[in-house]
Amino acid sequence: MTKKEVIFFDAGAYGPYVKCELINGQLESEYGDFHGDKMLDLKVKSNEAKIISFWKRMDEINVWNWNKTYNDEMAITDGFTWEVKLRNRDGKSKYSSGYEKYPRNYKKFITAINKLFEIKIDFWD
């Protein structure tokens, strides 16, 4: 039985932010820059091949083994926070979040998000 897929990424700091989500078969993203005045709101129809490629990439970078939290206790109070919620068609799922700290392959994840949602967000690390 195929599970409902979940692809959700939300990240930001004081100023810049990004939110990407698969909603009813549509890939939706929202982005704001450091000044908050340059905003992108983009909706892209999901493509079966791109979704399958994304899940393969998640397996390759082993996002499933990420810790639940990555927090830098010594970081400044207006630093960068992020949150990931994933569930593939087989029901394999991952929830992970962080504050000013990241899994070692975080940039590869961001690259996969950029490709899937057809956006260009920074890594903010």
Side-chain angles (χ1 to χ4, degrees):
M1 183 169 136
T2 303
K3 299 283 187 173
K4 181 181 177 191
E5 292 172 293
V6 175
I7 302 172
F8 176 86
F9 174 66
D10 186 43
Y14 183 73
Y17 69 92
V18 65
K19 181 179 178 183
C20 301
E21 188 170 11
L22 175 63
I23 301 173
N24 298 323
Q26 189 141 329
L27 297 164
E28 299 187 13
S29 59
E30 185 178 310
Y31 173 83
D33 72 2
F34 280 95
H35 307 290
D37 57 9
K38 183 180 181 184
M39 204 168 95
L40 173 67
D41 200 356
L42 184 64
K43 294 181 182 181
V44 177
K45 190 169 178 127
S46 68
N47 172 308
E48 184 72 9
K50 283 175 61 177
I51 296 279
I52 290 170
S53 178
F54 176 79
W55 290 128
K56 284 182 182 176
R57 189 65 180 136
M58 294 303 96
D59 289 340
E60 289 169 5
I61 66 174
N62 206 8
V63 71
W64 314 112
N65 282 342
W66 282 6
N67 295 338
K68 187 171 182 167
T69 58
Y70 293 84
N71 291 319
D72 181 349
E73 304 300 329
M74 302 301 288
I76 56 175
T77 57
D78 62 350
F80 185 76
T81 63
W82 58 272
E83 177 182 33
V84 173
K85 297 176 190 173
L86 299 171
R87 183 173 59 229
N88 69 12
R89 296 171 183 182
D90 298 327
K92 190 185 274 188
S93 63
K94 173 52 65 179
Y95 173 83
S96 188
S97 64
Y99 178 74
E100 285 293 313
K101 195 171 180 182
Y102 315 89
R104 66 174 174 75
N105 50 6
Y106 181 78
K107 287 184 179 183
K108 291 178 181 178
F109 172 78
I110 295 298
T111 300
I113 286 288
N114 279 334
K115 187 174 181 179
L116 178 65
F117 286 86
E118 299 177 14
I119 58 176
K120 177 65 178 113
I121 54 173
D122 294 320
F123 303 113
W124 294 314
D125 65 353

